[in-house]
């Protein structure tokens, strides 16, 4: 353990292509596939919303393709500045041929290099920054761990990426127990996914000020990783 710090700088994550943790904030690792919560690539930082839109378009994009899109080198997807100016109906304007190309590439590259962990095809694979190890949350819920944003399968429970992101934006430090507990209706300050879907966007993140303060306080208290072997960047 102790080889990677929490994702405080937006750059830490586990690459399913080379089966290793990286800090994309220090090195862009152009041929790797960063998880969804990585938003810092060298000197380039993008919003989580833009990163998610690109991820929903193609979850198999390498760093080169993600940063290339951000810088305007993807003819089928806008830069973040252009994306923010456009309406939601036109943001994901990928052509059918490009979409088919990405699906084909995903099938061709389904076997990871090294063969020790599979891509996140089942929505359960990811790297835990709390215990510094990769897990498959689809097979075991790892209740005390902190799954990355693209993990949406927890044992028998599966949630949408949109709901997962809303919960992540509320508190990125939630453990599996708190994420699944919210999904199942055990969080008095956040709705279940079914309730969340029925509500309007203005009321979805209806967290009380006291709860928000509690989460910020906990985030500060837990900023030092277990073992104290490496500090956040």
């Amino acid at each position: 353990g102790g080889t990677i710090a929490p994702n405080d700088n937006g750059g830490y994550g586990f690459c399913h292509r080379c089966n290793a943790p990286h800090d994309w904030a220090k090195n862009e690792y152009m041929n790797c596939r960063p998880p969804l919560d990585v938003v810092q690539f060298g000197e380039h930082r993008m919003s989580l919303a833009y990163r998610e839109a690109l991820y929903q378009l193609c979850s198999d994009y390498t760093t080169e393709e993600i940063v290339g899109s951000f810088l305007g080198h993807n003819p089928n997807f806008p830069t973040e500045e252009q994306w923010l100016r456009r309406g939601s109906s036109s943001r994901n304007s990928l052509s059918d041929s490009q979409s088919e190309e990405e699906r084909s590439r995903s099938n061709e590259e389904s076997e990871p290099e090294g063969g020790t962990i599979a891509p996140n095809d089942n929505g359960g694979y990811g790297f835990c920054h709390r215990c510094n190890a990769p897990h498959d949350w689809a097979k075991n819920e790892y209740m005390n761990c902190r799954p990355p944003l693209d993990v949406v399968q927890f044992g028998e429970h599966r949630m949408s990426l949109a709901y997962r992101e809303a919960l992540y934006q509320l508190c990125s430090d939630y453990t599996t127990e708190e994420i699944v507990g919210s999904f199942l209706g055990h969080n008095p300050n956040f709705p279940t996914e079914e309730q969340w879907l029925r509500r309007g966007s203005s009321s979805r993140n209806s967290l009380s000020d006291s709860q928000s303060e509690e989460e910020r306080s906990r985030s500060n208290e837990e900023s030092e990783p277990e073992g104290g072997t490496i500090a956040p960047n």
Side-chain angles (χ1 to χ4, degrees):
T3 57
I4 190 168
N7 196 15
D8 296 334
N9 67 349
Y12 289 103
F14 188 85
C15 173
H16 295 291
R17 192 171 200 183
C18 68
N19 294 331
H22 300 316
D23 184 355
W24 274 268
K26 295 180 179 178
N27 188 320
E28 293 185 6
Y29 300 99
M30 300 304 281
N31 293 320
C32 287
R33 287 195 192 124
L36 180 53
D37 56 346
V38 170
V39 294
Q40 184 78 42
F41 302 91
E43 64 182 10
H44 307 296
R45 188 179 185 90
M46 58 194 70
S47 69
L48 182 59
Y50 178 79
R51 179 76 178 87
E52 185 198 23
L54 203 53
Y55 184 91
Q56 289 177 332
L57 168 66
C58 181
S59 61
D60 289 326
Y61 268 169
T62 62
T63 304
E64 183 175 11
E65 292 163 309
I66 293 168
V67 175
S69 300
F70 179 76
L71 295 177
H73 306 313
N74 184 346
N76 297 294
F77 201 82
T79 66
E80 180 166 11
E81 183 179 357
Q82 294 168 332
W83 181 82
L84 289 170
R85 287 201 302 263
R86 297 182 182 183
S88 59
S89 62
S90 63
R91 283 179 175 170
N92 291 334
S93 56
L94 186 71
S95 67
D96 292 339
S97 60
Q98 175 74 359
S99 181
E100 181 61 33
E101 175 188 337
E102 300 305 334
R103 285 195 296 270
S104 175
R105 182 174 61 179
S106 177
N107 292 333
E108 291 172 1
E109 299 183 349
S110 61
E111 181 63 25
E113 297 179 18
T116 56
I117 190 169
N120 197 15
D121 297 334
N122 68 349
Y125 288 103
F127 188 86
C128 173
H129 295 289
R130 193 172 198 182
C131 68
N132 292 333
H135 300 315
D136 184 356
W137 275 267
K139 296 179 180 179
N140 188 320
E141 293 186 7
Y142 300 98
M143 299 305 280
N144 292 320
C145 287
R146 288 195 191 126
L149 180 54
D150 55 344
V151 170
V152 293
Q153 185 77 42
F154 301 90
E156 64 182 11
H157 307 296
R158 188 179 186 91
M159 57 194 71
S160 69
L161 183 60
Y163 178 79
R164 180 76 178 87
E165 185 197 26
L167 204 53
Y168 184 91
Q169 290 177 331
L170 167 67
C171 181
S172 60
D173 288 327
Y174 267 169
T175 63
T176 303
E177 182 176 10
E178 292 164 308
I179 293 168
V180 175
S182 300
F183 179 75
L184 296 177
H186 305 313
N187 184 346
N189 297 293
F190 201 83
T192 65
E193 180 166 13
E194 183 178 356
Q195 294 168 333
W196 181 82
L197 289 170
R198 287 201 302 263
R199 297 182 183 185
S201 59
S202 62
S203 63
R204 282 179 175 169
N205 290 335
S206 57
L207 186 70
S208 68
D209 291 340
S210 60
Q211 174 73 0
S212 181
E213 180 61 34
E214 174 189 338
E215 298 306 332
R216 286 195 296 270
S217 174
R218 181 175 62 178
S219 177
N220 292 333
E221 291 171 0
E222 298 184 351
S223 62
E224 178 69 20
E226 295 185 5
T229 55
I230 187 167
N233 189 22

